[in-house]
Structures are given as C-alpha cells and as structure tokens.
Amino acid sequence: MSKEKVISIAAVMEKSGVNFGTSGVRGQVVDLSDEVCWAYAVGFIQYLQETKQLQSGATVGIAGDYRTSTDRMMGVLSQAIVDQGFEPVNLGKIPSPALALYGLKHNMPTMMVTGSHIPEDRNGIKFNTALGEILKPDEQGIRAQVITIPDRKFTLDGTLVREPTLPVLDGTAKAEYVKRYLNFFPKNALSGLSLGLYEHSSVSRECLYEILIGLGAKVMCLGRSDVFISVDTEAIRPEDVVLAEQWSKEHGFDCIISTDGDGDRPLLSDEKGVWLRGDVAGVLCAQYLAADAVITPVNGNSALELSGLFTYTQRTQIGSPYVIAGMLATERDYNRVIGYEANGGVLVGSEIIKDGRRLAPLPTRDAAIVPLAILMLAKEKVLTISALLKTLPERYTVSNRLKNFPTDLSQAILSPLLALPLGEALKAGEKLVGELAGCPVALNSTDGLRLTFESGDIIHFRPSGNAPELRCYTESVSETRAVALNAACIQLMETWRLV
C-alpha cells in the first residue's frame, strides 16, 4: 500500500516555518531540510509547467553562494529537477544576477541557493522564470501547488534516502556575466584607478576581480574569508566601517568595492573609506546610465526627485517585485528605465546604449553595475567620489527596526490612522510622533506610514512583510539630525509595546 504524501506548498510553509520573502523563500538551516527544499523546487517546477513556461525535456539552472549549507541544498534541487523529468544545469557558485542573466539569455528558469545578506545559520532559494525573478502573482501560483512526495523518498528527519549529486560544473554563466561589463565599458575604462576589493565571503569576488582587472584598474584584494560573513549593505557592520577607513588610509584607494553574500547588493566607499548609502549610489548609477525613468521603493532618499536629473520617477512598495512591476508598466512610455532599491541593487529595465556600446536589460538586483557606473561618472566629471556625492542635494537617510514587534500590534497602531481623510490623518500623525519633528505636511501610505514635515524631515514607520518587526526610516538635511531623529523614533516605538 502506497504511503506517498500529498501536501500543498502553503502547508509546507506553515509546517516548516520557511516562508516567502523577496523573490523566494528563506528560513533557518535547521528548518530547510532536504524534504522542504525538494518540495519547494517541485512546487516551482509544477507551477512553470502549469503556466506553460517549461516544456518536456527542458533544462533548469541552479547556482549558490558560499554558505556551508549551500552544497547540500543545491544537490537537493538538482534531484528535484531530475525527479520531475527535467535536466539540471550546475552553474556553480556565482552571483544571483549572473544566474538570472544566464536564464534570460538562454530562456531557462533557474534557482539560486542563497540567504543573501542574512547570517550563516539561515539560507534560502531564489526562483527565476525564464523572464526573470518571480513576481507576486508567481509567488501565489507556487503557494497554490499541491505536490506528491513519494513513499520512502526521505527519512523521518527529512533527509533524502539517496544522497544527491550535482552535474559537472558549467562555467558559462560566470563568463557571460563578466563579459557583459567588459563589453559595455570602454577598453581600459578604469586605468589609473587604485581599487580595494573587499572579498569576505561574497560569491561575487572572482567575477568582480576579473571585471575590474579587465577594465584596467589596479586592484588589491582584501579580507577574504573561508567562513561565511553576513554583510548587510543597509546595516553595515561597525567592524566594516573601521576596516574601510583603515584600508583607505593605508593604501590610498580611489574606492573600496564589495557586495553582500550573493552579489545583488553593492557596497562602495569613497576615497576616504566612507561607505555610500545604497539609495544615493542608485541615483548616481542611474545618472551615468542616462535614465529617463527611475523606479524605486518609497523608503529611498528623496535626493532622487530633488536632483531633477530624471524625467519621470515613481515610488513603489518595498521589494524588488514591486520595482519590477513598476518598470514593466513604465517601459511603454520611456526608453531608459532603471530601478534601484535602498540596499543599492540596481535593476536595468531597458537596453542601455552608450557610445555605441550596448547593455542588455537585467531586471533583477545587480551589484556590479553600481561601482562601475559611479567610477565612470566620477572620471567623466573629474571628481573624487566624495566630491561627486556633493553634486546631489544633501539628504541623509537612516533606518533601524524593533525586533519581536507583533505585526498585529503594528497594524493596530497604524491602520486606523491610514484610513482617515488626509487632513485628519496628518493631525493624527502629528499626535502620534509628538514633538519629534513638528507639523506634518504630507503623508504617503504606499507601504506603511510615511510623514513629511515642514522642516523637510521624514519619518516612515513600516511593519515588516515577513517578520514580526517594526521598521523606521528617517531622513533629514544632515546626517546628525537623521541619526538623532531615528533614535528618538525607536524610543517612541518601544512605548507602543505597552499600548
């Protein structure tokens, strides 16, 4: 008698605690058993078949980052692909955008094993259709899948009975990613520049080295680690702040370049070793690419609009699927559409032609384009990076969060205010923040509660979409003010736990 198990992906989510985030699923490694990873991969493949995006005999690409758990998970995904009657392609340890680029070019869905910037004890799977990373409708389609787990496929603890193996490594995706930038930028474009490459455990480190050297820069590799290091470009570690300043002082770099773990979020310093914020780096990157339309989430720096550099700008909910949806809608009316997020990742929505060289669309977060574009913009204007930053309106953003803040409590505090007519909502917003920033003159409810005050200060409260956290973003004309305002908001938010 068969003991096969029939289960929905929604039930897998609830049972395992491994949930959808941006463009895929993430969870603790202890919860990402072989069975859970296999189930998600099968659900993804079934969805592609259901929507006629995967034909019989097709191939599915897989890649991963440098986490300890990644090799096992890549093996499980490979087995799931085989079990569904398709052929896995092992594209190795490469950046997430390199995998997405390969899929776009070869009309192939792909899966990337990565937890991005989160710690080593967590991991995840990013899903890309042949058209790019999954969007919210795709996520709903995957959640709705019902899969069958064969009898005796897994042990009681969720381990595959037969240990999976990976196909022979195919290096094509890595080579095509490097070639993308060597072909777009002029020969020896970075000659005369001295760059530090902070390698840590970034899966982009080999690709970035080849690109930078290939464009003529002098490159010194720094801080390589065989142990995974969690580098978050929106919450830079204090030790990385110190390291960058020390390295710059010692070696006189024009800048230091790095990324997060899977290479879709850039980390770039000026010549003094001061790290740039991603939402400012995105503006400069879009400027070099001569974007006429820029799409970015609502939490980004308002220097975008104040700069007057772009014909059209649009603010979306937070998350790359929303940025991509905005880009797709905008491409009907504009020729050069660029997106970026506060973490610095840039999405190229249109083909960019510059001095006769072409850069194909890559509508997923990418880190490599950002330092290259900013360095080229600085060279064109004969400025250091710190001087280049001063060409933009002075606006400083800070973000922080309260952990273990129930989503229901966040909604109970913010939702009634957001339901009010604008005039009443502004008065309620003023009462909510007390004397922190004065009188609010504008309110944005695209994603949470974002208040703009007479002084120009901005306070933005947003419940996390996939964790019991309440986030706060602040913006002001000085960094000192933005930091102080954020700290005051966090103290205020702590009192809301007592409501």
Side-chain angles (χ1 to χ4, degrees), residues 97 100-102 104-105 131-132 180-181 327-328 331 335 337-338 346-353 358-364 366:
L101 178 69
Y102 182 86
L104 287 167
K105 183 174 180 179
L131 300 176
R180 169 180 174 84
Y181 296 110
M327 290 167 66
L328 290 171
E331 286 166 9
N335 296 321
V337 180
I338 297 295
V346 166
L347 305 89
V348 178
S350 311
E351 181 182 55
I352 302 296
I353 304 173
R358 297 174 181 270
L359 187 70
L362 181 55
T364 192
D366 181 31

Side-chain angles (χ1 to χ4, degrees), residues 402-465:
L402 284 185
K403 296 183 179 181
N404 301 315
F405 199 103
T407 302
D408 289 347
L409 178 56
S410 297
Q411 297 295 352
I413 294 168
L414 300 179
S415 294
L417 187 155
L418 294 173
L420 295 172
L422 179 59
E424 294 180 34
L426 289 173
K427 290 180 182 179
E430 183 177 6
K431 182 178 180 181
L432 183 69
V433 300
E435 299 180 356
L436 293 183
C439 180
V441 293
L443 181 153
N444 188 314
S445 59
T446 300
D447 199 338
L449 171 65
R450 186 175 180 88
L451 295 167
T452 301
F453 296 82
E454 285 180 331
S455 62
D457 289 345
I458 295 174
I459 298 175
H460 182 180
F461 301 110
R462 174 183 174 262
S464 173

Side-chain angles (χ1 to χ4, degrees), residues 130-152:
L131 300 176
E133 66 179 80
I134 61 169
L135 302 181
K136 290 302 177 181
D138 299 310
E139 177 186 318
Q140 295 302 319
I142 297 169
R143 287 172 182 256
Q145 295 301 309
V146 175
I147 66 168
T148 299
I149 302 175
D151 184 25
R152 299 177 185 175

Side-chain angles (χ1 to χ4, degrees), residues 370-428:
V370 180
L372 299 174
I374 292 175
L375 286 169
M376 290 299 295
L377 184 62
K379 286 193 77 171
E380 286 181 0
K381 294 181 176 294
V382 197
L383 295 172
T384 62
I385 291 180
S386 64
L388 184 63
L389 288 170
K390 292 179 180 178
T391 65
L392 295 177
E394 280 200 278
R395 299 293 296 174
Y396 296 86
T397 49
V398 176
S399 60
N400 206 341
R401 62 185 175 177
L402 284 185
K403 296 183 179 181
N404 301 315
F405 199 103
T407 302
D408 289 347
L409 178 56
S410 297
Q411 297 295 352
I413 294 168
L414 300 179
S415 294
L417 187 155
L418 294 173
L420 295 172
L422 179 59
E424 294 180 34
L426 289 173
K427 290 180 182 179

Side-chain angles (χ1 to χ4, degrees), residues 18 27-34 36-37 72-73 122-124:
V18 177
Q28 296 187 55
V29 170
V30 294
D31 297 323
L32 283 161
S33 66
D34 291 359
V36 168
C37 295
R72 171 186 65 83
M73 291 175 61
R122 296 172 180 269
N123 211 332

